[in-house]
Amino acid sequence: MQYNAFKSALAVSSLCLLCSFTPARPAKNYTVSGYVKGLSDQEIYLTYGTLNHSSIDTLITHNGSFVFKGHTEEPMAAMIFTKDYRVKIDFYIDNAPIKITASLDSMMDAQASGLAVTNEFAAFNSTIMKNRKATMAVGQKAWDLTQAGDTINGKKLQHQSDSMYQSEFTLRRQYIEQNPKSYVALHELQFFATDKNLQKAKELYAAMDPKLYETVQGKEVAERIAILSRIVPGKTAPLFVQNDVNGNPVSLASYKGKYVLIEFWASWCHPCRGESPNLLKQYKHFNSKGFEILSVSLDHVKDNWTAAIAKDGLLWTQVCDLKGWKNDVASLYGIQAVPANFLVDPTGKIVAVDLRGEALEKKLTELYQ
């Protein structure tokens, strides 16, 4: 549940009237004008597109202000950010004037306004940010307590944080259901579609306006649903090879004959690190019985990755290609949020997904009793 992965939605009836298929637009190009209070003169970036097809532009801010100009073939999810991510503003871009205002000390309260699709996402995103603040606050408390040695209360708070995150899927589903013609709803479907929600995601996609199927985002959602259909329990886990911390190739095929948990995580992911003590506990208890863990990191800085492994005392094999969210194995398994995992049996078939905390211990006890 990395909070790259944090998305939520508020299904308000008034937004049902918003439709991305307006017959005419007031401009053929976009102009994104923004001001970030407290921002010094530095490079700032605009990126927009989908997970697999995106564009990026850069310029130097002046007294906290910036203006990006360009053209997009269709409305797209977009983000304004700096290298250190002190500035990170999500919005929806379309070929029209768009105004953005924000402050360094309250980035989650950033505002964006423009055409209907931009305003639709802004209203939608305000609820996302509200839930994200609350969820991250609880998750941070859980992490702090666990690091301080209070694993009991840390565990309780982590359960609470997980529950708060899961509630976002219900809100997202409601939003998608009520806005079948919306680009924003289509974008949210990309993140709603998980192994647990696969059947519902298929139903939601089938109910959307057919015109959306021809968009870049629409094609990617169809591709994601196809990927998820290949990694559900009962299917053979896709094979892969990736290098460990010493640069040596590690193959999933080498784990044949054992139960192996393919664990996706990252050094910067608090929920992932919060789960590390439980993984370590299960590994120590069941490894002698044939249980293995193979961790795939979504880091892009090797020192951060290896430092986290050492600090958390992780004992099993770790692999990473240092491509961050574009990690080849993560793409193969359709990973859009971490932590995430797949339990693979000795024959190479997936038997369970996203086992954490007590659920993982219960499953392993069942398998090795």
Side-chain angles (χ1 to χ4, degrees), residues 29-33 42-49 53-61 66-72 77-83 85 87 89 91 93:
N29 298 294
Y30 63 75
T31 300
V32 181
S33 303
Q42 60 183 281
E43 282 191 337
I44 195 167
Y45 304 88
L46 163 67
T47 183
Y48 62 89
H53 301 86
S54 61
S55 299
I56 191 166
D57 195 3
T58 183
L59 53 76
I60 303 296
T61 61
F66 55 85
V67 179
F68 287 98
K69 296 183 178 181
H71 175 81
T72 177
M79 181 173 68
I80 296 286
F81 66 101
T82 53
K83 283 184 178 179
Y85 285 97
V87 172
I89 305 169
F91 66 105
I93 198 168

Side-chain angles (χ1 to χ4, degrees), residues 159-287:
H159 283 318
Q160 181 182 341
S161 178
D162 289 345
S163 178
M164 292 169 67
Y165 172 66
Q166 290 302 320
S167 69
E168 297 176 356
F169 283 88
T170 299
L171 294 171
R172 185 177 300 125
R173 173 181 55 76
Q174 293 173 342
Y175 187 85
I176 298 167
E177 287 176 337
Q178 296 180 27
N179 297 274
K181 296 183 178 182
S182 167
Y183 276 96
V184 176
L186 179 65
H187 173 72
E188 288 309 305
L189 181 54
Q190 176 100 24
F191 294 91
F192 175 83
T194 65
D195 52 279
K196 293 181 179 179
N197 302 323
L198 181 57
Q199 185 54 45
K200 187 60 181 179
K202 290 179 179 179
E203 295 171 6
L204 291 172
Y205 187 70
M208 301 204 84
D209 192 310
K211 293 180 182 178
L212 289 173
Y213 299 158
E214 301 306 314
T215 65
V216 174
Q217 185 77 66
K219 292 175 181 178
E220 283 198 16
V221 173
E223 180 182 0
R224 174 156 179 76
I225 289 174
I227 290 174
L228 290 174
S229 297
R230 297 195 295 268
I231 56 172
V232 295
K235 297 286 188 178
T236 299
L239 295 177
F240 61 85
V241 177
Q242 198 157 99
N243 288 349
D244 64 14
V245 294
N246 296 314
N248 300 316
V250 177
S251 171
L252 176 61
S254 66
Y255 288 84
K256 188 173 182 180
K258 297 182 178 181
Y259 281 99
V260 56
L261 186 73
I262 306 172
E263 177 76 16
F264 293 89
W265 74 298
S267 66
W268 38 259
C269 168
H270 288 320
C272 302
R273 305 284 295 277
E275 179 67 7
S276 291
N278 179 56
L279 291 175
L280 192 58
K281 174 185 174 183
Q282 306 312 325
Y283 182 79
K284 288 180 177 179
H285 185 74
F286 292 101
N287 179 246

Side-chain angles (χ1 to χ4, degrees), residues 1-3 138-148 150-159 161-162 263 265-281 308 312 314 316 338-339 356-358:
M1 167 194 68
Q2 171 53 22
Y3 304 107
V138 174
Q140 183 63 54
K141 288 181 180 178
W143 167 254
D144 292 341
L145 287 172
T146 300
Q147 291 301 297
D150 188 354
T151 57
I152 294 177
N153 287 313
K155 188 175 183 180
K156 288 180 180 179
L157 282 181
Q158 188 59 57
H159 283 318
S161 178
D162 289 345
E263 177 76 16
W265 74 298
S267 66
W268 38 259
C269 168
H270 288 320
C272 302
R273 305 284 295 277
E275 179 67 7
S276 291
N278 179 56
L279 291 175
L280 192 58
K281 174 185 174 183
D312 293 357
L314 306 183
W316 50 88
V338 288
R356 287 189 283 277
E358 294 178 356

Side-chain angles (χ1 to χ4, degrees), residues 37-144:
K37 182 179 179 181
L39 182 65
S40 60
D41 293 355
Q42 60 183 281
E43 282 191 337
I44 195 167
Y45 304 88
L46 163 67
T47 183
Y48 62 89
T50 62
L51 290 176
N52 298 328
H53 301 86
S54 61
S55 299
I56 191 166
D57 195 3
T58 183
L59 53 76
I60 303 296
T61 61
H62 179 65
N63 295 328
S65 297
F66 55 85
V67 179
F68 287 98
K69 296 183 178 181
H71 175 81
T72 177
E73 293 300 321
E74 62 189 58
M76 293 277 194
M79 181 173 68
I80 296 286
F81 66 101
T82 53
K83 283 184 178 179
D84 57 8
Y85 285 97
R86 290 188 66 200
V87 172
K88 182 180 179 299
I89 305 169
D90 294 311
F91 66 105
Y92 232 82
I93 198 168
D94 202 354
N95 290 320
I98 297 171
K99 183 178 181 180
I100 292 177
T101 57
S103 176
L104 275 182
D105 59 9
S106 57
M107 193 54 56
M108 287 189 178
D109 297 319
Q111 300 292 320
S113 60
L115 287 183
V117 67
T118 302
N119 297 334
E120 177 186 355
F121 181 80
F124 176 90
N125 195 48
S126 67
T127 301
I128 293 176
M129 292 298 103
K130 182 179 179 179
N131 190 82
R132 184 173 299 178
K133 286 179 184 178
T135 306
M136 290 181 70
V138 174
Q140 183 63 54
K141 288 181 180 178
W143 167 254
D144 292 341

Side-chain angles (χ1 to χ4, degrees), residues 285-296:
H285 185 74
F286 292 101
N287 179 246
S288 62
K289 300 180 181 181
F291 173 62
E292 294 286 351
I293 300 176
L294 175 58
S295 284
V296 181

